[in-house]
Amino acid sequence: MRYGICIDTLYTELDFYDRIAAAAADGFDAVEFWDWRTRDLDRIRKCAQEAGILVSGFNGDADFSPIDPKHRELWLNEVARSIDAAKHVGAPSVTIHSNALGEGGVVVDHYDALSDAVKLASLFDALKEAALLAEEADVQLNLEGLNVHVDHVGNFLKDTRTAAELCALVGSDRLRILYDVYHMQIDEGNLIPTIERYAKYIGHVHIADVPGRHEPGTGEINYVNVLRALKATGYKGVVGCELFPATDTKTAVGAILAMRDAVEG
């Protein structure tokens, strides 16, 4: 497995672009971030090439929600733009969601006026079309469920089974799950059996401890056991550390690397 860092949450004491080299210097294999539209993609590509590190991906939804039939074409257009951005920086994947997220990850619209049937059907139709775009570009889309109890109240996609079944129904090898251990521990628990059951659909992983969304060892998740189980499934993708340091980046990075060394043995 490869290990990456979200540079929107770690190394924040540095200029954004300097975080790429810092992550590489600390021994990470990849970096990721949230909104490519606010960044200089040419500079990111240059920094990553100079540091010898992968840009694993970023969010691709912008301000649109695929569960809203009225948003479908707007959302697909934004996914297409995000796929082009990924190709530009050499990123293999783009992250997608069921709902548009605003400042601080707040769900912009809960769509209470739409039934779950409409939301699910609209999401499926949008994913079918997005998968065709991803196949043509040879870029992977990672569909992420989010917790609805702490960080993203009102988000439609909140469990692994639904995400995996959508991937199965769409039937594209360019559509996978982003399994966020932090979110799924809050929403559904049962981490290791869930990982084992749906491993073939997992295309990217995020980690942070619960509660607090800090580095491993600050909360309740035994990340060495969880990631060993993930590794045993044959997963060879990126484990992205999308977490906020409990104290500072240096301490958080030390905890992450200690976890990695324990997992990799």
Side-chain angles (χ1 to χ4, degrees):
M1 296 191 297
R2 293 170 292 170
Y3 292 80
I5 286 287
C6 176
I7 54 174
D8 276 314
T9 63
L10 286 149
Y11 299 102
T12 56
E13 67 278 9
L14 301 176
D15 173 77
F16 179 82
Y17 301 96
D18 292 339
R19 299 172 199 176
I20 297 170
D26 279 338
F28 291 102
D29 305 300
V31 295
E32 59 185 274
F33 52 95
W34 291 331
D35 189 354
W36 64 267
R37 298 171 302 164
T38 64
R39 306 299 182 186
D40 182 337
L41 295 183
D42 288 332
R43 188 173 177 187
I44 287 171
R45 181 177 60 185
K46 183 174 185 291
C47 289
Q49 289 173 343
E50 290 176 349
I53 195 169
L54 174 71
V55 178
S56 59
F58 37 70
N59 292 341
D61 310 286
D63 305 316
F64 307 111
S65 303
I67 60 170
D68 180 354
K70 295 178 181 178
H71 275 198
R72 188 177 307 147
E73 292 305 317
L74 294 168
W75 181 80
L76 286 167
N77 289 340
E78 197 59 38
V79 169
R81 291 182 64 228
S82 298
I83 287 172
D84 287 344
K87 296 285 284 187
H88 187 74
V89 299
S93 70
V94 170
T95 302
I96 54 177
H97 304 89
S98 64
N99 295 64
L101 304 175
E103 188 69 27
V106 173
V107 175
V108 175
D109 192 334
H110 297 185
Y111 290 103
D112 294 331
L114 298 180
S115 70
D116 284 356
V118 169
K119 294 174 186 177
L120 191 60
S122 180
L123 178 57
F124 173 74
D125 287 345
L127 291 174
K128 284 281 287 187
E129 294 188 54
L132 295 176
L133 298 174
E135 288 168 5
E136 183 177 349
D138 195 26
V139 169
Q140 184 167 287
L141 299 178
N142 294 317
L143 177 62
E144 183 178 25
L146 305 173
N147 85 75
V148 297
H149 296 94
V150 178
D151 301 288
H152 305 287
V153 175
N155 197 68
F156 177 67
L157 186 61
K158 58 186 178 182
D159 67 281
T160 307
R161 179 179 177 179
T162 300
E165 290 181 350
L166 282 166
C167 289
L169 287 169
V170 169
S172 170
D173 63 3
R174 295 287 84 192
L175 177 65
R176 289 291 181 264
I177 297 170
L178 194 166
Y179 185 78
D180 190 307
V181 184
Y182 165 80
H183 288 306
M184 293 303 103
Q185 171 67 359
I186 293 171
D187 270 1
E188 62 186 17
N190 206 35
L191 298 173
I192 290 175
T194 300
I195 287 169
E196 292 171 342
R197 183 173 301 117
Y198 299 114
K200 70 178 182 178
Y201 299 110
I202 297 175
H204 194 77
V205 173
H206 279 166
I207 68 168
D209 219 334
V210 177
R213 207 170 186 176
H214 302 310
E215 61 267 25
T218 58
E220 66 193 19
I221 301 176
N222 187 327
Y223 265 111
V224 172
N225 285 351
V226 169
L227 294 184
R228 282 176 177 167
L230 176 66
K231 185 178 180 181
T233 70
Y235 178 75
K236 292 182 171 58
V238 174
V239 175
C241 301
E242 188 189 46
L243 56 88
F244 298 89
T247 54
D248 54 53
T249 296
K250 182 178 180 180
T251 303
V253 166
I256 293 165
L257 295 178
M259 173 205 69
R260 180 198 66 183
D261 293 346
V263 171
E264 299 300 328

